[in-house]
Amino acid sequence: MTGRKVKNTGQRKQYYINRSHPAIVSDEVFDRVQEEMIKRARVIRHEDGTASLSTNKYNGKYLLGNLLVCGDCGASYRRRTERGNVVWRCATRIEKGKEACSESPTVKEEWIKERLTSMVSGELYEENIIRERIGQICVYQKYLVVKGKNDIEWIIQI
Ligand SMILES: [Zn+2]
């Protein structure tokens, strides 16, 4: 938000919304626009304690699909829905069967989201924060190795 106050004698305060929309708007409209922009943006907290707003333009693909890698065969993990549960499983195992990749476990999406949330973002699953902090998640038979972008690794037991 690059709204700036403009000089305005005798009336209520007025603001420019931004340079490409140089319309002068009232306090009320300014507040409403700002509120809307905050709603659309997400707060990203950085390691050094600062925070910035980031608009979430990421939809379509699943973040976990980019992060989860099979520790046994190196393939990526794929999302499946089985009996109403959303699970992630090694692509080799899905395509070529258990014989081709026998060690890789199936991971419940709800479970992994909970684990990641408690590790990096507190109470709510915030995909932007997970994306910012985590580079890769290797899935082994009994545990996950979560590789943070700042060289931290977490080991999570399955
Ligand atoms: Zn595998």
Side-chain angles (χ1 to χ4, degrees):
M1 189 77 197
T2 54
R4 74 189 161 94
K5 237 162 146 178
V6 292
K7 197 162 187 185
N8 177 23
T9 48
Q11 300 152 308
R12 297 183 59 190
K13 281 180 296 178
Q14 292 186 325
Y15 305 89
Y16 282 117
I17 292 294
N18 60 41
R19 270 178 222 144
S20 58
H21 273 277
I24 293 172
V25 298
S26 67
D27 274 0
E28 196 195 328
V29 173
F30 182 85
D31 288 346
R32 218 160 54 212
V33 170
Q34 201 161 38
E35 221 172 81
E36 190 53 39
M37 290 187 80
I38 288 167
K39 244 190 264 169
R40 282 187 214 161
R42 300 266 182 128
V43 178
I44 291 188
R45 286 181 181 79
H46 303 286
E47 291 301 316
D48 61 3
T50 61
S52 61
L53 292 175
S54 159
T55 309
N56 188 3
K57 287 179 183 147
Y58 193 100
N59 24 41
K61 271 189 113 184
Y62 295 104
L63 173 64
L64 288 174
N66 296 329
L67 294 178
L68 290 167
V69 172
C70 178
D72 193 21
C73 76
S76 54
Y77 260 56
R78 287 207 198 134
R79 194 175 193 266
R80 314 263 285 177
T81 304
E82 288 176 356
R83 289 165 303 228
N85 288 317
V86 179
V87 297
W88 289 82
R89 184 173 297 143
C90 169
T92 304
R93 195 173 177 131
I94 291 170
E95 284 172 9
K96 298 177 185 162
K98 206 172 174 176
E99 304 73 36
C101 181
S102 58
E103 304 286 291
S104 62
T106 297
V107 180
K108 277 192 179 175
E109 182 170 271
E110 202 183 329
W111 177 84
I112 193 161
K113 281 186 170 180
E114 274 173 25
R115 295 272 81 72
L116 294 176
T117 301
S118 60
M119 274 168 47
V120 300
S121 60
E123 287 166 25
L124 281 171
Y125 179 75
E126 285 282 353
E127 200 157 80
N128 278 324
I129 299 176
I130 308 284
R131 184 181 303 119
E132 194 187 57
R133 303 258 175 99
I134 293 172
Q136 194 177 62
I137 305 168
C138 281
V139 187
Y140 296 92
Q141 196 174 19
K142 301 255 183 269
Y143 57 95
L144 310 176
V145 177
V146 181
K147 294 174 182 170
K149 287 187 176 168
N150 49 4
D151 290 335
I152 296 175
E153 282 192 1
W154 294 270
I155 307 233
I156 300 176
Q157 279 194 304
I158 294 178

